[in-house]
Amino acid sequence: MINFISGLLALCAGVFAIVAAVGVLRFPDVMTRMHASSKVASFAGALALLAAALDIGTLSATTRAVFAILFIFLTAPIGAHLLGRAAAWRRRMN
């Protein structure tokens, strides 16, 4: 049962990663591309880490996965914000 759940989480992570990649390619401007890359990709990374933690099944792997997910959720919005500010600054300069 654990293998099924971790496989399902990994499959969902792959689907969300593909959706993020398509969003980056298809969206028209920087702000919407930034939204697709930061929000959806961080969710896909969290699902992949949860799948790995479930599949490994040790306390150490689960703890590391939780800390990695927290790190991703803390740093992805900051990076997206900085990219948005740089894009707005560049637009003002041109």
Side-chain angles (χ1 to χ4, degrees), residues 19-34:
V19 167
V22 169
V24 168
L25 291 175
R26 299 282 299 170
F27 284 154
D29 61 344
V30 174
M31 300 300 172
T32 54
R33 288 180 184 165
M34 199 173 52

Side-chain angles (χ1 to χ4, degrees), residues 4-94:
F4 176 74
I5 294 172
S6 65
L8 189 63
L9 284 172
L11 183 66
C12 288
V15 168
F16 276 108
I18 289 172
V19 167
V22 169
V24 168
L25 291 175
R26 299 282 299 170
F27 284 154
D29 61 344
V30 174
M31 300 300 172
T32 54
R33 288 180 184 165
M34 199 173 52
H35 177 75
S37 67
S38 68
K39 303 287 191 255
V40 181
S42 62
F43 188 63
L47 285 175
L49 285 167
L50 283 176
L54 265 174
D55 192 44
I56 295 170
T58 63
L59 181 63
S60 174
T62 306
T63 305
R64 290 175 193 219
V66 167
F67 280 129
I69 290 169
L70 288 174
F71 182 76
I72 289 171
F73 282 159
L74 288 175
T75 57
I78 294 168
H81 175 74
L82 290 175
L83 283 172
R85 285 183 58 114
W89 181 78
R90 186 173 180 179
R91 192 175 347 176
R92 263 186 286 153
M93 292 309 210
N94 288 336

